[in-house]
Structure formats: C-alpha cells, structure tokens
Amino acid sequence: MLEGSSVIVIVPAFQEQQRIARVVETMPEFVDMIVVVDDGSRDETTERARRAADARTVLMKHEKRRGVGAAIKTGYQEALARGAHGRPTDALCIMAGDGQMHPNDLRSVVLPIVLGEADYVKGDRFRIEGVRRAMGWPRWVGGMLFSFLTSLAIGQAISDSQCGFTALSRAAAMQLDLVGLWPSFGYPNDILGQLAAKRLRIREVPVMPIYGTEQSKLRLRHLPPIFYLVARAAARRLGTRNESQ
C-alpha cells in the first residue's frame, strides 16, 4: 500500500519471455497485486512469469492474441473485481512486460492518485534529457505528432499521449467504458478521450524509458485507427460540452 491506498500493477505482455521475469521481480514492495496478462504469446512468457511470481501475482492468459488494449482491459477488470471494497484512491497502474518502464518511477506515477490529486497519471518520456536519441527518430516524431493531435482533441495539453506507463484511480475507472476500450495500440488515446469527456483530472510526470534490443510492435497498419480515435476523442468532448450548455 501507499498512503493508505492499494496499488495494483497490470502487466500486459506478448512474446516477452526474455524480459517478463525481470519486470515481475523488480516490482516495488509497496505494490499490493501484480496482474500479468499474457496476450496469447506462443513463447514461454507465462511460464517465466510464473517462475518469477510471488504471493502478490495473478497470472492470466488470452488463448489468442487480442491486442495490448484488450490485455489491459482484462487486467483492469480483474483488478476491480478483486478489490470491490477498495478505496476510491486505489491506483490501477500499467507497466508493460517489455521492461521499458523503470520500476523506480512507479512511486511518482502513483502518488498523485493515492493522494487524491489526480484521476489519471501518465508518464512523460519527453521531459527526460536525451530521450530523442534513445527513442530513435521515427518513434520520437510519431509520439510528438500524436501528442499534439490528442491535445487538440481533448482540449488539454498532453506532452506524451502514447506513453503506456500510467495510473488510474479506482473511482475514475468506475466511470469509464472499460468494456469498450480500444483493443489495440490506440488505447491511450481512447482513454484520454473518455477522461476528457468526463472532465476527470489528468496529470503527467517525468519517467525514464528503458530501451534495449526489443523491437516496437507498432506497425503502419496501427496508425489509421489511432487517427480515428483522436478524432473520436474530439467528438466526445465537443458532444459533452454541447450537452452541458
């Protein structure tokens, strides 16, 4: 627990047999539950997560790959079901199974949630010096472009819309359409759109990305849906504003 609230970390993973054990083993002590969701991996992701697991760990697996957003939805639903009597300020966090999110940053991502200062916290990789070189030009340009468009869509400045290192309060989770969460790579834009439409509080904190030999799973075919989700986020916000007038 942290500041009297539970901290639940959801770890979506696909084909991460080389990295998943370290993600589980380095989880901070204040984490109450770790929900590893293997999204239909064909390698030993689940087996290696099981070997690394401790008493806090829950292992789940999709028989077929559904997408990272779908894996996160499964994790959110499991976390909410297991903590039905939790506090509104319980934190539901996302740390990917590829090891790109530093466990030392988890506390700063979680604190605004458990202190009741925010409903959703996103990691911001772009505040870290030298991140453009570490990310590589295509990933950096794509992140900056989608952050700009998402900011316009939701009416709030977002520095790093695509970062998956996040924390969501239990109270906010209960207000979102998690069942309808976009199943693939556009899920961050979908969540931000829902949060903006509900006028929930979004905060960003700097996080240090860890890039090694892993390859991004984002492909060109994923880009059109993300543009669609950004446009839908704008429509949701404008629709909510018109209803309130």
Side-chain angles (χ1 to χ4, degrees):
M1 301 188 82
L2 193 63
E3 299 294 334
S5 293
S6 296
V7 178
I8 301 169
V9 177
I10 297 153
V11 182
F14 174 70
Q15 304 287 82
E16 298 294 355
Q17 65 178 11
Q18 301 299 327
R19 290 167 282 271
I20 190 64
R22 179 165 178 78
V23 172
V24 174
E25 291 168 347
T26 59
M27 203 63 68
E29 291 185 1
F30 61 79
V31 173
D32 297 279
M33 183 165 69
I34 308 163
V35 183
V36 178
V37 184
D38 182 343
D39 188 34
S41 298
R42 298 180 300 277
D43 63 3
E44 295 185 358
T45 294
T46 292
E47 288 74 13
R48 298 195 183 186
R50 181 176 291 111
R51 292 176 210 158
D54 57 33
R56 302 174 295 173
T57 310
V58 176
L59 298 177
M60 308 184 73
K61 182 168 183 176
H62 294 164
E63 291 305 313
K64 295 182 179 180
R65 190 181 186 188
R66 302 182 196 172
V68 61
I72 288 170
K73 176 178 72 174
T74 294
Y76 276 148
Q77 291 173 327
E78 181 69 12
L80 291 171
R82 285 178 175 260
H85 302 292
R87 298 182 61 177
T89 52
D90 287 347
L92 281 58
C93 312
I94 306 298
M95 291 184 70
D98 58 11
Q100 290 186 8
M101 299 167 185
H102 204 298
N104 289 351
D105 288 329
L106 182 60
R107 185 182 181 89
S108 63
V109 173
V110 169
L111 269 178
I113 299 295
V114 299
L115 294 176
E117 298 172 353
D119 301 300
Y120 188 63
V121 178
K122 285 186 67 65
D124 181 356
R125 299 164 295 180
F126 296 134
R127 293 194 208 177
I128 302 299
E129 185 177 355
V131 72
R132 179 169 63 180
R133 182 174 59 255
M135 292 179 74
W137 184 254
R139 183 183 280 168
W140 184 83
V141 170
M144 294 294 288
L145 173 61
F146 282 120
S147 296
F148 172 73
L149 294 175
T150 301
S151 297
L152 291 178
I154 70 173
Q156 177 176 336
I158 297 294
S159 175
D160 190 358
S161 64
Q162 306 312 114
C163 181
F165 199 168
T166 64
L168 175 68
S169 74
R170 181 182 300 278
M174 300 300 291
Q175 298 183 55
L176 302 182
D177 176 19
L178 296 179
V179 173
L181 182 65
W182 189 259
S184 190
F185 283 92
Y187 78 89
N189 313 89
D190 188 15
I191 288 183
L192 287 170
Q194 291 193 48
L195 291 162
K198 298 286 186 180
R199 294 183 172 84
L200 294 172
R201 299 165 298 169
I202 304 168
R203 179 179 291 190
E204 291 183 285
V205 299
V207 296
M208 174 67 75
I210 304 171
Y211 295 119
T213 59
E214 71 283 341
Q215 298 294 318
S216 172
K217 298 180 179 67
L218 182 66
R219 299 292 182 265
L220 287 176
R221 68 176 183 275
H222 297 128
L223 300 185
I226 297 177
F227 282 111
Y228 160 74
L229 291 165
V230 170
R232 188 171 73 172
R236 277 176 169 165
R237 181 174 67 88
L238 293 173
T240 301
R241 187 175 69 180
N242 291 337
E243 289 175 2
S244 64
Q245 292 177 349

